[in-house]
Amino acid sequence: MAAIYSTFMTFLNQGDHIISASAVFGSTHTILTKYLPKWGIESSYFDMNKPESIEALIKPNTKMLYVETPSNPGLDIIDIEFVSALCKKNNILFVVDNCFATPAVQQPIKFGADLVVHSATKFIDGQGRVLGGVVVGKKELIQPLYLFVRNTGPSMSPFNAWVLSKSLETLFIRMERHAASAMQIAKALDGHAKLSSVKYPFLESHPQYDIAKKQMSNGGGIVTFELKGGIEAGRNFLNSLQMISLTNNLGDSRTIASHPASTTHSKLSLEERAAVGITDGLIRISIGLENAEDILEDILQALGE
Ligand SMILES: *Cc1c(COP(=O)(O)O)cnc(C)c1O
């Protein structure tokens, strides 16, 4: 979050406007709606599934456009090249949160993004050991950001930096394994009688499958599905898991399941949850590095097979 917050504070001034996808990480949404307005920075939101609606939101004071692709937890995907062309035309800084894909799977700068942010806490470390964040971009953009961080303090400790530098050595091979298992599990679950849908970027049924294929080298490590029985079914599913961990983290060597409607987002109303893409039966699984058959077996037995 320090990486994201520092990016906002470095490049936005009083009176500026930021356009963001409505489906962004909860704390990012809180910065946009609660803190930035204190300094006179306003924001507008668009639906990830309607990129054609972005243009109408652009104002003379629009300075930045912010997206997460794939989004957390909805796995919505946006065409980075399309959005970057719009930003270039209107002189808007385009920032992509690449946390779900990691640089091993998607490199938004190749498709025209100006800055890329990552939560290194997730797949980049990949072993649940440290908190960290990254901002990537051209030197002339990173220099003022570096000065902001240096003067205000959200810097990484040397030990965390060392751990993360070791993590990078295995990132590509880990992401291949996360993705291969995720693909296998998504395919096996697709069409299951207890599920109304299964979502994974590289499943042909994903609404933005063609875009995923264009900008991602594999589908990443997150699979989501919708249980037919709503909140109660979600609670039962979590309680029935044996091997898979229950926590709100993701991108770990261990498989992690979460049910936002009964946990992280239980205080929100049905409408508020729907607005951020969280339905009552939505389960997010961060596929770990265990044997894929074991992961699948645990999911299937928790579904009551
Ligand atoms: C977790 C997460 C963050 C925040 O990362 P921290 O390392 O917890 O500060 C930001 N964006 C996305 C998409 C995330 O999943």
Side-chain angles (χ1 to χ4, degrees):
M1 288 318 304
I4 295 169
Y5 177 69
S6 300
T7 301
F8 289 159
M9 293 318 283
T10 302
F11 297 103
L12 296 172
N13 294 312
Q14 185 178 24
D16 285 348
H17 173 239
I18 171 168
I19 299 174
S20 168
S22 50
V24 288
F25 188 66
S27 298
T28 307
H29 196 256
T30 303
I31 296 177
L32 291 169
T33 53
K34 190 168 169 202
Y35 296 106
L36 293 189
K38 297 205 314 181
W39 297 293
I41 299 162
E42 46 160 9
S43 46
S44 304
Y45 302 91
F46 66 93
D47 181 339
M48 283 279 281
N49 295 298
K50 295 184 187 121
E52 67 283 358
S53 67
I54 297 174
E55 197 153 18
L57 299 174
I58 298 173
K59 305 198 237 182
N61 59 341
T62 306
K63 272 283 182 56
M64 185 182 286
L65 197 145
Y66 187 92
V67 301
E68 224 170 76
T69 183
S71 68
N72 181 8
L75 291 180
D76 292 323
I77 288 168
I78 201 161
D79 188 335
I80 299 170
E81 209 171 11
F82 169 82
V83 179
S84 82
L86 204 59
C87 289
K88 292 222 159 44
K89 199 172 95 187
N90 293 281
N91 207 18
I92 295 167
L93 198 67
F94 181 28
V95 183
V96 177
D97 181 336
N98 200 31
C99 175
F100 267 36
T102 80
V105 174
Q106 174 174 271
Q107 299 177 339
I109 288 175
K110 281 192 186 156
F111 296 95
D114 296 304
L115 288 167
V116 177
V117 294
H118 295 276
S119 166
T121 313
K122 313 290 174 53
F123 287 106
I124 290 184
D125 175 45
Q127 288 148 89
R129 301 173 297 190
V130 295
L131 295 175
V134 183
V135 189
V136 186
K138 283 203 179 105
K139 203 173 183 175
E140 58 264 36
L141 291 175
I142 296 300
Q143 187 59 22
L145 203 122
Y146 167 74
L147 290 176
F148 177 84
V149 169
R150 207 183 132 131
N151 285 303
T152 57
S155 311
M156 188 178 288
S157 77
F159 180 71
N160 283 19
W162 177 78
V163 170
L164 287 169
S165 73
K166 301 302 288 175
S167 309
L168 288 178
E169 294 172 9
T170 57
L171 177 65
F172 276 71
I173 198 160
R174 282 187 289 105
M175 288 314 293
E176 278 171 17
R177 172 64 179 263
H178 283 297
S181 298
M183 184 81 219
Q184 183 183 335
I185 290 161
K187 273 189 181 156
L189 293 175
D190 205 13
H192 190 284
K194 298 265 175 75
L195 307 178
S196 55
S197 65
V198 176
K199 204 168 180 187
Y200 183 66
F202 270 33
L203 270 189
E204 272 177 53
S205 55
H206 189 290
Q208 293 104 16
Y209 172 74
D210 292 336
I211 302 168
K213 280 280 184 177
K214 178 175 98 171
Q215 62 197 26
M216 298 170 75
S217 62
N218 61 46
I222 311 283
V223 176
T224 66
F225 51 80
E226 183 70 29
L227 291 161
K228 280 182 180 162
I231 294 236
E232 217 32 58
R235 215 175 264 130
N236 289 339
F237 175 79
L238 282 200
N239 289 337
S240 307
L241 290 169
Q242 290 178 354
M243 181 191 82
I244 296 175
S245 307
L246 312 182
T247 154
N248 295 320
N249 197 20
L250 62 94
D252 196 281
S253 50
R254 299 182 198 191
T255 300
I256 295 170
S258 67
H259 177 230
S262 73
T263 57
T264 45
H265 294 71
S266 61
K267 300 271 187 321
L268 272 63
S269 70
L270 198 67
E271 292 72 34
E272 286 171 320
R273 282 203 292 270
V276 288
I278 293 166
T279 45
D280 280 353
L282 179 75
I283 301 283
R284 183 190 73 195
I285 312 263
S286 170
I287 304 295
L289 301 176
E290 307 96 331
N291 184 305
E293 292 293 335
D294 289 343
I295 303 168
L296 182 60
E297 202 172 301
D298 196 20
I299 295 172
L300 291 175
Q301 68 77 23
L303 287 173
E305 259 198 8

